[in-house]
Amino acid sequence: MATLLDPLGRKLEYLRVSVVDSCNLRCFYCSPGESCKPRSLRGQLSREHIVRAVTAAAKAGIKKVRLTGGEPLVRRDIVGLVHDIAQIEGIEDLSLTTNGTLLKDLAEPLAAAGLKRVNISLDSLDGHNFEQITCGGQLQATLDGIDAAFDAGLTPVKINMVVMKDLNHHEVENFAKLTLDRDIHVRFIEYMPMLGQDDVWRRHYLPSSEIMELCNGVLPMEAVPEEDLNGPARNFRFPDAVGLLGFITPVSQHFCANCNRLRLTSDGKLKPCLFSANEIDLQPALAANADLGPYYQSAAQNKPANSDVSPASQGSACGPQGMVEIGG
């Protein structure tokens, strides 16, 4: 297999594939400036085209794939798509990020199709607060999805919590305690500035340092050696806990130096960075059945050294699109 390197020598082995830009929840930080109406499916890549794009990525050097959305489980062919990608030579790890609301009935079929594990987005353990943040979602559906993931062997189950001051930061301790007796990795993610949300973001942004203080108030945390894990999270655990605590800091402490990923949006745009407006449209090449290898090489060569997201940044972190549209 080939090796995909960027100008800084970072080996790019991880592709995040957004398989749909629609979602059955309407979390305000993910879909800025929009109402609580569901989105329609718009111009998404076909199953065949996604498989071809990932096959080309594997030939270029990609080894790890994560399926995202929107909400990937709203795709009717998601189980078949997982099966097809799991068969691609060179793909060693296949995972999926979901809000978990549809996972109760899909966890077993997805595991049988070749999915290894799931990340479940969950920002509140309080039913009323969950409903407010998601614009009408039902907490129990996600909790049932978590249990189904365990039953299907999609472990460790990772739970992603976007921590927002005065909205859900008072729940950090309860999330941290989930790791005590279950193989759950709770990852606390800093709230990022999004399109048209500067004022809201500044009001609710909480740096990871303060989130860590809240966790240390439960029990003193112990650092997990970096060589034991990979990814953007700095990992800790409580003494004798089964699970882990992770802290993802896209705003206060960039992890760009170790970034090994590219992104493919649901409408076929290959992005070298989540926060970059620079993208390569694969749709024409897919339609022409052309070689996609050069496009991956081009994306690698255009990968920026750093993102420009910081507490002092102005405007949207992700350009003109909401997170739901780029598979954050």
Side-chain angles (χ1 to χ4, degrees):
M1 290 291 178
T3 299
L4 196 59
L5 296 174
D6 74 358
L8 297 181
R10 291 173 293 191
K11 185 183 293 186
L12 309 183
E13 298 181 324
Y14 180 13
L15 180 67
R16 292 180 66 105
V17 181
S18 176
V19 298
V20 65
D21 74 349
S22 60
C23 186
N24 58 338
L25 298 181
R26 308 298 307 135
C27 302
F28 77 90
Y29 62 83
C30 189
S31 306
E34 299 185 17
S35 69
C36 294
K37 297 178 181 179
R39 302 167 67 91
S40 59
L41 306 183
R42 303 178 304 172
Q44 67 183 25
L45 292 178
S46 67
R47 173 175 167 182
E48 177 189 0
H49 281 178
I50 292 174
V51 173
R52 282 176 51 199
V54 176
T55 299
K59 291 179 179 178
I62 294 295
K63 297 180 180 179
K64 178 179 179 180
V65 172
R66 174 173 296 279
L67 303 182
T68 70
E71 171 47 52
L73 300 190
V74 303
R75 273 193 73 123
R76 294 183 178 179
D77 61 354
I78 188 62
V79 174
L81 181 57
V82 165
H83 173 270
D84 292 348
I85 294 174
Q87 306 306 309
I88 295 174
E89 183 179 358
I91 298 303
E92 300 173 358
D93 186 72
L94 177 58
S95 57
L96 179 145
T97 295
T98 173
N99 60 40
T101 58
L102 302 175
L103 196 54
K104 180 179 179 180
D105 294 328
L106 286 172
E108 288 286 355
L110 287 168
L115 191 69
K116 300 299 184 184
R117 66 187 179 282
V118 290
N119 285 30
I120 299 177
S121 300
L122 176 61
D123 299 318
S124 178
L125 295 170
D126 174 85
H128 177 72
N129 204 28
F130 181 91
E131 185 175 355
Q132 293 297 111
I133 292 172
T134 61
C135 203
Q138 299 299 306
L139 173 62
Q140 190 59 52
T142 297
L143 297 180
D144 290 344
I146 292 172
D147 289 338
F150 274 102
D151 291 343
L154 297 172
T155 56
V157 173
K158 296 183 179 180
I159 293 179
N160 295 340
M161 179 193 188
V162 177
V163 182
M164 297 164 283
K165 184 167 58 177
D166 299 328
L167 292 178
N168 66 354
H169 83 276
H170 61 284
E171 297 191 56
V172 165
E173 292 94 334
N174 288 335
F175 271 84
K177 291 176 183 176
L178 294 176
T179 68
L180 290 173
D181 54 13
R182 283 184 106 178
D183 192 12
I184 290 177
H185 294 191
V186 175
R187 291 130 58 85
F188 300 103
I189 304 173
E190 289 179 338
Y191 176 27
M192 291 181 286
M194 296 298 298
L195 181 66
Q197 287 193 325
D198 281 0
D199 292 340
V200 176
W201 173 73
R202 294 181 188 281
R203 186 162 63 249
H204 296 300
Y205 168 70
L206 193 70
S208 186
S209 58
E210 296 185 34
I211 303 170
M212 294 178 74
E213 288 180 11
L214 292 172
C215 291
N216 270 318
V218 178
L219 286 170
M221 295 187 298
E222 303 171 344
V224 174
E226 290 186 11
E227 59 267 21
D228 290 355
L229 298 162
N230 52 36
R234 290 183 294 153
N235 295 284
F236 298 80
R237 65 164 25 104
F238 292 134
D240 300 320
V242 179
L244 296 180
L245 302 163
F247 300 87
I248 299 180
T249 57
V251 179
S252 68
Q253 185 175 342
H254 296 173
F255 37 81
C256 303
N258 298 317
C259 183
N260 65 343
R261 64 187 64 180
L262 298 174
R263 293 171 181 268
L264 181 63
T265 67
S266 62
D267 59 351
K269 305 300 193 302
L270 186 61
K271 296 173 69 73
C273 174
L274 171 65
F275 305 111
S276 174
N278 184 8
E279 55 188 26
I280 301 170
D281 190 358
L282 296 188
Q283 291 256 29
L286 286 166
N289 201 25
D291 179 14
L292 300 179
Y295 294 89
Y296 284 98
Q297 294 293 340
S298 179
Q301 290 306 306
N302 284 283
K303 188 170 178 64
N306 297 288
S307 74
D308 60 358
V309 181
S310 72
S313 65
Q314 298 293 321
S316 167
C318 303
Q321 299 165 303
M323 192 70 75
V324 70
E325 296 176 286
I326 55 177

